[in-house]
Amino acid sequence: MDTEFWEARYRSRDRLFSGAPNGVLVTEAGDLPPGRALDVGCGEGADALWLARRGWHVTAVDISPTALRRAAAEATEVTGSVEWVRADLTTTPPPGGAFDLVSVHYFPLARQPGDAAPRQLLDAVAPGGTLLFVSHHPAGHSTREGFDPSDYYQPGDIAGLLDRDWTVVVDETRPRTASAPAGTHHTHDTVLRAQRPW
Ligand SMILES: C[S@@+](CC[C@H](N)C(=O)[O-])C[C@H]1O[C@@H](n2cnc3c(N)ncnc32)[C@H](O)[C@@H]1O
């Protein structure tokens, strides 16, 4: 799942995703005071826009230039609050300790020896800040050819990387609040919400 893969996916349609923020983000981040947020794999930007409209300063990162162009075009009224960044987060780590919220929704992070990339995402959370790591429940992938969810970090794997002084606020599987993305069969989300110690 490299740049070419995602560019081909985005270019295959005028819009790939619904344009609505993810339900888990709305549920879990609605009670957080606005600060600095990192949207990991921001896609067409609906989550970053929702955060910016609530007063967050957002760094929204994606590997796909097409997705970022679409996101920026939607963001005219919050231009100064969102920085759209084209980067491969498996090779370019985000700045350490910089974000009050690191939001990771449906980001396909392939397992790797040493777990460098997921650890860099954890390191990006500021003291007292929140990590929100959300995946489709693996059962929803069963019909998708060529994709094995066990090749990718799941929220439970990320929970296993947290130092003991983090507070796990949510670690569960729950039904989706919105219908599945077009062409998929996802019914449940797996959600990890954790707070870094001060
Ligand atoms: C399943 S989409 C989810 C998009 C968005 N978070 C959402 O929930 O609608 C995964 C996104 O991650 C991006 N992505 C995949 N691998 C990436 C990488 N190594 N670095 C940065 N972005 C990546 C893709 O371009 C795509 O936009």
Side-chain angles (χ1 to χ4, degrees), residues 1-3 5-7 9-10 16-22 39-47 61-65 67-68 85-92 103-109 134 136 144 181:
M1 289 199 184
D2 54 9
T3 304
F5 172 90
W6 284 104
E7 277 296 278
R9 278 208 72 192
Y10 281 108
L16 194 55
F17 296 110
S18 70
N22 282 303
D39 187 356
V40 172
C42 65
E44 290 163 325
D47 285 359
V61 182
D62 205 281
I63 203 170
S64 162
L68 289 167
V85 178
R86 195 269 156 195
D88 179 345
L89 282 161
T90 62
T91 55
T92 306
S103 174
V104 189
H105 279 77
Y106 315 114
F107 181 65
L109 188 54
V134 182
H136 299 299
R144 197 165 139 195

Side-chain angles (χ1 to χ4, degrees), residues 7 16-17 28 42 58 85 99-100 150 158 165 171 177 197:
E7 277 296 278
L16 194 55
F17 296 110
E28 299 297 336
C42 65
V58 187
V85 178
F99 299 99
D100 305 297
S150 67
I158 304 300
D165 48 3
D171 185 5
T177 56

Side-chain angles (χ1 to χ4, degrees), residues 7-84:
E7 277 296 278
R9 278 208 72 192
Y10 281 108
R11 286 181 185 160
S12 70
R13 298 192 196 181
D14 289 341
R15 173 182 280 284
L16 194 55
F17 296 110
S18 70
N22 282 303
V24 175
L25 179 72
V26 173
T27 301
E28 299 297 336
D31 65 349
L32 294 174
R36 298 152 300 162
L38 175 68
D39 187 356
V40 172
C42 65
E44 290 163 325
D47 285 359
L49 283 173
W50 182 82
L51 287 164
R53 287 173 181 141
R54 297 177 71 85
W56 290 81
H57 289 273
V58 187
T59 301
V61 182
D62 205 281
I63 203 170
S64 162
T66 298
L68 289 167
R69 259 196 311 276
R70 290 178 188 173
E74 291 286 323
T76 47
E77 97 277 19
V78 289
T79 303
S81 301
V82 188
E83 186 189 5
W84 305 103

